[in-house]
Amino acid sequence: MPATLIDGKAVAAAYRDRVQTDVAAFTQRTGVTPHLAAVVVGENPASAVYVRNKQRACEKAGIGSSLHTLPATASQSDLLTCVHGLNDDPTVHGILVQLPLPEQIDERAVLDAVAPLKDVDCFHPENVGLLSQARPRFAPCTPAGVMELLSAAGVETSGKRAVVLGRSEIVGKPMAMLLLARGADATVTVCHSRTADLAAVCREADVLVAAIGRAKFLTADMVKPGTAVIDVGINRLPEEEGGGLAGDVDFDAVREVAGSLTPVPGGVGPMTVAVLLRNTLTAAELQTAGEPG
Ligand code: NDP
């Protein structure tokens, strides 16, 4: 029997409805409209699409947003000046610096410069530290979105073997932390480019999260029958393969083996945006006097 498809768009829509309701209640209570500021450097077309989607989602949820664009030639200090300005602006609650940044910019220094209370991507070391101690201030957007999808699909993680493919700061590592946390209670293995016998490790998984950025990398022979497979990857296929988007999972083949599976697009992507909205509301609550922080 082919895998059950996990409909990320539907799960995200329901999640966004809950955020919208909570934003309306917050704004009515406080008179404050949560506001997300997006910073974009250069003209990466994919970044422009992501940011536009995030802004549209904000609007629907009753969250204000603004776009701060810098030229591709912007210096580190230009960008830091922009971030510091947003840090100091009391009408801005969340700051999102769209990655990747041009080569001349030290990405880490810029992310570190975002005020921790406005760090809605949960990239600041203070927020990563809180997350690693299981007392998160913000949810890491993509990994928290994956947890929502698992929960919506009724996938049990407690006591299960979870394998995370990829150890990036943005996806792999925080994903492993959420699966490991009390409540989720999975036994977690994190793989990377130096992992020996990767296929055998993957075959042990009851829950498999692929986040490596290689189109169709995870093949059916790497998946134990019945495994829940979450595909985080977003890869643009070359023209000779028809262009378009592919995940890190060989979708058609893995669908025949897995128990449940997320599509790309329409899986993890919409959830990432939905969690970002929730984080923006949380940021506004934390920065508004009298609100439970
Ligand atoms: P990174 O490039 O930062 O990290 C990739 C990770 O995969 C690294 O840990 C790397 O190992 C590992 N890796 C690469 N090749 C292999 C291999 N052949 N075998 C085993 N491990 C390998 O990517 P990100 O984590 O930022 O993103 C991963 C994917 O998820 C991308 O396709 C990205 O576009 C997508 N993404 C999707 C989001 C969404 O909302 N759906 C959000 C964020 C990302 P090593 O550390 O050893 O180099």
Side-chain angles (χ1 to χ4, degrees), residues 223-273:
V223 179
K224 184 173 71 176
T227 296
V229 179
I230 305 289
D231 190 352
V232 178
I234 302 177
N235 308 290
R236 188 153 288 284
L237 291 172
E239 286 308 322
E240 55 272 25
E241 289 178 42
L245 292 182
D248 289 346
V249 175
D250 183 0
F251 182 84
D252 292 334
V254 169
R255 194 177 178 185
E256 298 303 319
V257 187
S260 46
L261 176 62
T262 57
V264 176
V268 175
M271 275 314 304
T272 300
V273 179

Side-chain angles (χ1 to χ4, degrees), residues 50 54 99 123 141-143 146 164-173 190-195 198 210-215 217 222 231-236 246-248 264 267-273:
Y50 291 144
K54 289 168 185 174
L99 305 177
F123 291 161
C141 296
T142 300
V146 171
V164 178
L165 262 172
R167 59 173 163 182
S168 72
E169 305 297 335
I170 294 175
V171 188
K173 270 195 216 169
V190 183
C191 299
H192 46 81
S193 64
R194 302 297 177 92
T195 298
L198 188 74
I212 59 173
R214 306 234 181 280
F217 179 89
M222 299 166 84
D231 190 352
V232 178
I234 302 177
N235 308 290
R236 188 153 288 284
D248 289 346
V264 176
V268 175
M271 275 314 304
T272 300
V273 179

